[in-house]
Amino acid sequence: MLLHDTMNDAVADVAADLSGLAAASRRQGLSIRRRRRALSTVGAAAAATVLVAGTWTMLPGESEPEDTIRTDNPAAAVTAPLSGDTAPITDRGVAAALADTIVDVADGTVTRFQGDVYGIDGNLDEALGALLFLPATGTGPAGQVMINLQPLNVVGKPPYACEAEFMTDCAVRTLPSGDILRTYHDNGDTEFGADSQRAVAELLSPVRRLRIVVFALNTNPWDKGAYRDRAVLDIEQLIEIAKRPWWSRTELPREYVNAGSQLEDFS
Amino acid sequence: MTDLLDGPVTPIRRPETFEEFVFATGDRMFRTAVLLTGDRHAAEDLVQSAYAQAFSRWRLVSRAESPTAYTRAILTRLFLSDRRRKRVSEVPLLPGAESPASDGDPAIRLSLLEALRTLPSLDRAVLVLRYFQDLPVAEVAIQTGLSETACRTRASRALARLRHHFPDLADRA
């Protein structure tokens, strides 16, 4: 009994859904390409660290960053998903996590990272991360994207509705998970100018006792007076970012915490 | 579709599109992944990740001497790196219902996959590449990151372990 024949017999009735495989691989491959392009204008060290933070990269120390691998060596092109391990949240980690999720949903480049983590009496309570995102298409300046991770009680008790006047095009729906998703636009903010536009996705999670607010502007707060015709991320993209299951006020995937510690262009 | 791109033979014609490449090579790549992982769902994830990597570099991959070998190398390294990190229990593979029935013995099919799962991941990869993909030792060494000597040693040791379950198992006719 030859091993070759035995192996063939073992998988003889196994077949792939080739159409589905081609389509899914293409989608996933496009996401990988977007991440590479987004890192092309970031400093080399930051590029390596955000690559490490990416959903499809190796853990630190286990492989060279993908961009440094010789392209004629296919055996070295290796990536892997997040491990599932977490670490206490850091300001830099939030920025790294936000950057990675943005380049996963949109084509463009990320710069000027910011973040903060604060609490009361030594207990981590809230966290935020921000950066500038320049879409690959369109004209105008980069726009700020920010995420806030807060206790749910800052918005009071349910029901959560579209009540405030500044919430235009507001919609509220309950997700299968029980989380509530509230989206809206907030234009002409007095802080950013009459031509400013802000797209907002707010996820309210009773189970996690967590409020996630992600918004994108059509302008750079440090370069006031220049605007794009729309926010740099749309509502659907912001929803994808807010829905990442690992957002928390107190911890992040370890890969992002590690990557954030080496992030350049952080202030 | 005739698989013009698999194996060590110089390809007669290159795939014109990524989709054509997947249709030409996908079944065999998937079966390789099933032998490596012993689990259909894990194999689906593995083969999709490998093709995604290939697509992300399609301009390079499509011009490689063997796009199939390139993608198979990615698949192997993904499997090996994933096995180093994960500590999840494996789900036994159920006989597939999507393709014409095989004439093979169901008891043998289930037992071989179980037997392969008892092997260290690197030994398993060496056996699958050497005896399912029929790759030369030098090629197996490149794809696994081992020396040729280490490949031969691991193959010999792994075969000896499989013979506990299949005493008549031979590597060559």
Side-chain angles (χ1 to χ4, degrees):
Chain A
M1 182 168 61
L2 292 178
L3 180 54
H4 170 87
D5 295 339
T6 308
M7 284 183 168
N8 272 303
D9 281 346
V11 292
D13 63 349
V14 170
D17 170 12
L18 297 177
S19 294
L21 175 60
S25 302
R26 174 181 279 272
R27 280 196 303 273
Q28 190 176 323
L30 284 171
S31 177
I32 296 170
R33 279 188 194 171
R34 280 199 297 265
R35 180 170 291 108
R36 281 203 204 105
R37 283 200 295 268
L39 297 171
S40 65
T41 64
V42 182
T49 57
V50 179
L51 270 171
V52 169
T55 306
W56 296 100
T57 59
M58 290 295 292
L59 294 174
E62 292 195 21
S63 176
E64 296 177 27
E66 190 177 20
D67 273 356
T68 68
I69 295 192
R70 289 169 50 208
T71 55
D72 60 351
N73 180 12
V78 180
T79 61
L82 295 175
S83 64
D85 293 337
T86 61
I89 197 168
T90 64
D91 50 2
R92 288 168 164 268
V94 181
L98 179 62
D100 186 65
T101 53
I102 288 173
V103 300
D104 199 37
V105 303
D107 280 334
T109 55
V110 289
T111 57
R112 199 150 188 181
F113 307 100
Q114 293 182 300
D116 200 2
V117 175
Y118 42 96
I120 300 172
D121 297 331
N123 298 315
L124 293 171
D125 204 39
E126 295 191 31
L128 66 86
L131 49 79
L132 293 181
F133 177 64
L134 181 64
T137 58
T139 58
Q144 187 178 57
V145 181
M146 182 180 287
I147 186 166
N148 280 273
L149 305 164
Q150 301 172 330
L152 185 61
N153 58 18
V154 301
V155 290
K157 297 185 185 303
Y160 305 110
C162 297
E163 297 172 349
E165 290 183 3
F166 66 85
M167 296 181 181
T168 58
D169 306 318
C170 182
V172 179
R173 70 177 194 260
T174 302
L175 302 176
S177 61
D179 293 342
I180 296 99
L181 188 63
R182 181 163 61 186
T183 60
Y184 57 89
H185 289 92
D186 170 20
N187 298 333
D189 185 282
T190 54
E191 178 180 357
F192 301 113
D195 292 330
S196 67
Q197 296 182 28
R198 194 164 72 112
V200 185
E202 187 180 1
L203 190 142
L204 307 167
S205 178
V207 172
R208 288 179 283 169
R209 307 299 303 159
L210 177 66
R211 179 191 188 217
I212 302 169
V213 185
V214 192
F215 70 78
L217 292 171
N218 68 333
T219 185
N220 175 354
W222 295 280
D223 187 20
K224 293 180 183 178
Y227 300 93
R228 302 179 72 89
D229 59 358
R230 65 190 68 182
V232 291
L233 295 174
D234 60 31
I235 292 291
E236 290 306 314
Q237 291 167 325
L238 293 171
I239 289 173
E240 285 303 309
I241 295 170
K243 285 170 68 176
R244 294 297 158 114
W246 38 258
W247 286 120
S248 157
R249 293 183 291 115
T250 58
E251 57 188 17
L252 283 175
R254 180 175 299 279
E255 291 85 343
Y256 292 136
V257 174
N258 291 343
S261 67
Q262 302 175 57
L263 205 61
E264 289 186 351
D265 194 21
F266 180 89
S267 59
Chain B
M1 173 184 290
T2 303
D3 188 345
L4 302 174
L5 304 172
D6 204 1
V9 179
T10 301
I12 299 172
R13 117 180 210 284
R14 295 184 180 283
E16 293 196 4
T17 66
F18 174 72
E19 283 69 23
E20 183 181 322
F21 174 62
V22 174
F23 272 80
T25 61
D27 272 337
R28 191 157 182 81
M29 203 72 71
F30 183 54
R31 289 168 184 161
T32 300
V34 167
L35 286 168
L36 287 173
T37 62
D39 171 50
R40 186 186 180 92
H41 296 298
E44 288 171 349
D45 288 345
L46 179 62
V47 76
Q48 181 181 314
S49 295
Y51 277 117
Q53 284 293 325
F55 178 76
S56 75
R57 298 176 182 273
W58 184 241
R59 197 162 54 177
L60 167 73
V61 173
S62 62
R63 294 189 176 96
E65 183 173 339
S66 173
T68 305
Y70 191 107
T71 306
R72 187 171 51 222
I74 295 173
L75 182 124
T76 303
R77 292 301 284 249
L78 278 172
F79 166 71
L80 292 174
S81 65
D82 199 44
R83 294 300 295 170
R84 279 203 301 270
R85 292 186 309 103
K86 277 189 175 178
R87 285 181 288 277
V88 296
S89 56
E90 294 182 0
V91 176
L93 179 74
L94 297 177
E98 294 83 356
S99 65
S102 162
D103 292 331
D105 184 348
I108 290 179
R109 288 205 301 276
L110 197 59
S111 294
L112 176 69
L113 291 175
E114 287 180 333
L116 283 172
R117 282 204 302 272
T118 66
L119 301 175
S121 56
L122 208 44
D123 291 4
R124 202 185 314 171
V126 168
L127 283 188
V128 171
L129 293 175
R130 186 86 177 93
Y131 295 107
F132 179 69
Q133 290 285 350
D134 291 325
L135 299 183
V137 173
E139 183 64 25
V140 174
I142 291 171
Q143 296 207 10
T144 56
L146 296 169
S147 67
E148 291 189 29
T149 303
C151 276
R152 291 194 177 89
T153 302
R154 282 182 177 270
S156 175
R157 184 176 67 196
L159 269 169
R161 288 181 64 169
L162 287 184
R163 287 190 181 114
H164 288 311
H165 306 281
F166 305 98
D168 297 331
L169 196 62
D171 56 344
R172 293 282 180 262

